[in-house]
Amino acid sequence: MALKIGKKEKEEKKGKDKTKKKFDAKAFVEAGAKKGIKVFTVAELKASKNKYSISNQIQNGIGRSVLVVLAIVAVIATIMVNNIVQEANDKELKLESQVVSHQMAEFFAPFETMANQLAVNPELQLLMKTLSLSKNTAKHSGYPDALANIQQIQELDTTNIKAVWFADVDASMAAMSDGFITDESWDITTRPWFSCVESGETVYTVPYVDTATGETVLTIASPMYNSTGKGIGVAGMDISLDAIMETLSNYKIGDNGYVMLIAEDGTFIYHPDASLIGTNINEMNVSENLRSAIAGKSEGLLKYRTDGQGKVGYIAGVGETGYLVLSCITSWEYSFSVISMLIMLLVVFMIGFLLIIISMRVASARIVKPLIELNTTAIKLAEGDLNVHIEATGEDEVGEL
């Protein structure tokens, strides 16, 4: 009896297996279609497995978002870095110009004070009032005291003061601290500093070569007036440019930047190219905005061109002298720090983006791996293979599935 039951059970199982093997996939798909249900065949599932990869969808979806965010951050960071670096460059140019300006003002201040004091010196004033009546200046009774005064002033700084002098308007003569007196051919009205008599202000001349010493000097001259306000003479001194050149040559901006000292009319008092000292900027190949800024004494940042090369500079006035300090660097050097910072920023963002992509690929692969195994198992089941095994190790929703 037991044998018969066992045989019957085997026959029933065998019948079931035959029924299972005769599963009609086509009929199953058609039945689903009649009910409005989209049923994929095994072949369609295999064909679409790579087309709709979840891993690619995760990477593309998140990658695009990350790329957009990084692009926005990069643009904002670029603008900020550009502004910060340019502001730093502008401040450096401004600071250099102002430092040189203050130093030059301090250099000239004592000499201007000496010239002003000499212009109101009692002995010199007395000489100027009566000199025109004398035919021989050297024999005038007031000349020895006046000569002693200007010699004492020169002895205060023999390194920088090359000569101290006074000139009489009516007599059209000048007397130097070394005892030299001009002759009758000398005309006071042709001197570059004579304008101070009309303006009533101390005058700083452009550099010139002193015929007596052969040195390049500039003159500081102050007007002399009598009690009625009439201009009767001029007191002044010739200042050597050696100290100025030595001081300014020590200033360096960036790698190749430098400073220049320019007279009121645009003549170079100092330039690192010594051949340009005494040259007027209007005679050079420079952009019109630089000429206008020098003529108008416009202090501030300026972008200009000289000999076709772009430059960025800052103009600052030197006290009340009328002189201007111009600091400059090439446009390339001015922009180089900005460009280098932007390149570094771009490299950092690219590395960060690559690291994010790699991390997403690793993470998506880890997430999708069990889904791929489930998909493979489902396809085998759809093919009728019930001898499948899947190991669930996760504690998330995929593990539960």
Side-chain angles (χ1 to χ4, degrees):
M1 184 67 176
L3 290 173
K4 289 180 180 179
I5 293 173
K7 186 176 181 180
K8 185 177 180 181
E9 289 176 350
K10 287 181 179 180
E11 288 177 353
E12 290 177 355
K13 183 177 181 181
K14 186 176 182 181
K16 290 180 180 180
D17 290 342
K18 285 181 179 180
T19 303
K20 183 178 180 179
K21 289 178 181 179
K22 290 180 181 180
F23 173 74
D24 190 346
K26 183 178 180 181
F28 182 74
V29 172
E30 292 175 351
K34 290 179 180 180
K35 296 181 179 181
I37 301 173
K38 175 63 177 175
V39 180
F40 291 94
T41 64
V42 174
E44 289 176 333
L45 287 173
K46 289 182 177 180
S48 64
K49 178 172 61 176
N50 296 326
K51 187 182 298 182
Y52 302 107
S53 170
I54 295 178
S55 178
N56 289 338
Q57 292 181 45
I58 293 175
Q59 294 175 40
N60 291 337
I62 300 178
R64 288 194 190 97
S65 300
V66 171
L67 183 59
V68 170
V69 172
L70 284 179
I72 294 174
V73 173
V75 171
I76 296 174
T78 299
I79 295 174
M80 293 179 63
V81 169
N82 180 66
N83 292 338
I84 291 172
V85 175
Q86 284 196 356
E87 185 178 353
N89 289 338
D90 295 347
K91 284 184 177 179
E92 181 181 5
L93 286 171
K94 180 179 180 180
L95 181 62
E96 290 291 346
S97 290
Q98 290 180 338
V99 168
V100 175
S101 171
H102 292 321
Q103 189 167 1
M104 289 296 97
E106 290 177 356
F107 174 81
F108 289 120
F111 304 125
E112 182 176 344
T113 300
M114 292 178 192
N116 292 336
Q117 290 176 345
L118 184 61
V120 295
N121 180 274
E123 288 83 1
L124 207 56
Q125 285 275 345
L126 180 61
L127 178 64
M128 293 294 103
K129 293 175 182 178
T130 58
L131 191 59
S132 60
L133 302 177
S134 174
K135 295 183 179 179
N136 191 329
T137 303
K139 292 183 178 181
H140 191 284
S141 59
Y143 175 72
D145 290 338
L147 178 61
N149 279 322
I150 60 177
Q151 287 177 339
Q152 288 176 0
I153 291 175
Q154 185 180 10
E155 290 173 359
L156 294 175
D157 188 353
T158 56
T159 301
N160 293 311
I161 303 176
K162 294 305 177 183
V164 182
W165 49 266
F166 60 85
D168 183 85
V169 174
D170 292 335
S172 190
M173 57 73 60
M176 314 295 288
S177 54
D178 61 358
F180 175 78
I181 299 176
T182 60
D183 57 24
E184 294 180 355
S185 64
W186 190 81
D187 185 0
I188 189 173
T189 60
T190 63
R191 301 297 99 185
W193 39 259
F194 183 72
S195 60
C196 71
V197 177
E198 296 178 354
S199 66
E201 298 179 353
T202 301
V203 169
Y204 287 74
T205 69
V206 299
Y208 62 93
V209 177
D210 187 357
T211 55
T213 63
E215 293 185 59
T216 302
V217 298
L218 58 83
T219 296
I220 301 176
S222 294
M224 301 174 64
Y225 299 95
N226 60 18
S227 58
T228 63
K230 177 186 175 182
I232 59 176
V234 179
M237 58 186 64
D238 299 336
I239 308 300
S240 171
L241 292 182
D242 291 345
I244 295 175
M245 293 180 179
E246 182 180 357
T247 299
L248 296 182
S249 64
N250 293 326
Y251 282 94
K252 190 175 182 182
I253 304 174
D255 294 329
N256 301 301
Y258 51 87
V259 295
M260 298 161 279
L261 184 62
I262 304 173
E264 189 172 3
D265 68 345
T267 301
F268 283 108
I269 300 173
Y270 169 80
H271 192 287
D273 182 356
S275 65
L276 294 177
I277 295 176
T279 302
N280 194 288
I281 198 168
N282 294 313
E283 300 171 1
M284 300 175 61
N285 181 22
V286 299
S287 56
E288 185 60 34
N289 65 329
L290 178 59
R291 291 193 182 99
S292 300
I294 297 298
K297 299 181 183 179
S298 303
E299 298 191 21
L301 189 72
L302 183 70
K303 294 182 180 180
Y304 63 96
R305 299 187 71 82
T306 174
D307 292 328
Q309 185 181 40
K311 292 188 177 182
V312 182
Y314 191 93
I315 299 176
V318 181
E320 300 298 325
T321 64
Y323 294 165
L324 298 171
V325 171
L326 173 60
S327 61
C328 74
I329 58 175
T330 63
S331 297
W332 164 248
E333 188 173 349
Y334 177 81
S335 303
F336 178 76
S337 54
V338 176
I339 295 173
S340 60
M341 288 293 291
L342 294 181
I343 291 175
M344 291 177 59
L345 189 63
L346 180 61
V347 170
V348 169
F349 274 110
M350 290 180 65
I351 293 174
F353 182 70
L354 289 176
L355 290 175
I356 292 173
I357 292 298
I358 293 172
S359 299
M360 284 196 307
R361 290 184 67 88
V362 173
S364 61
R366 188 183 301 114
I367 294 171
V368 173
K369 182 179 179 181
L371 294 177
I372 294 174
E373 294 177 355
L374 282 173
N375 184 56
T376 303
T377 302
I379 291 174
K380 289 182 178 180
L381 290 172
E383 291 175 341
D385 183 6
L386 301 178
N387 188 24
V388 293
H389 173 72
I390 184 169
E391 183 176 354
T393 58
E395 298 181 359
D396 52 12
E397 290 82 352
V398 178
E400 292 177 2
L401 181 61

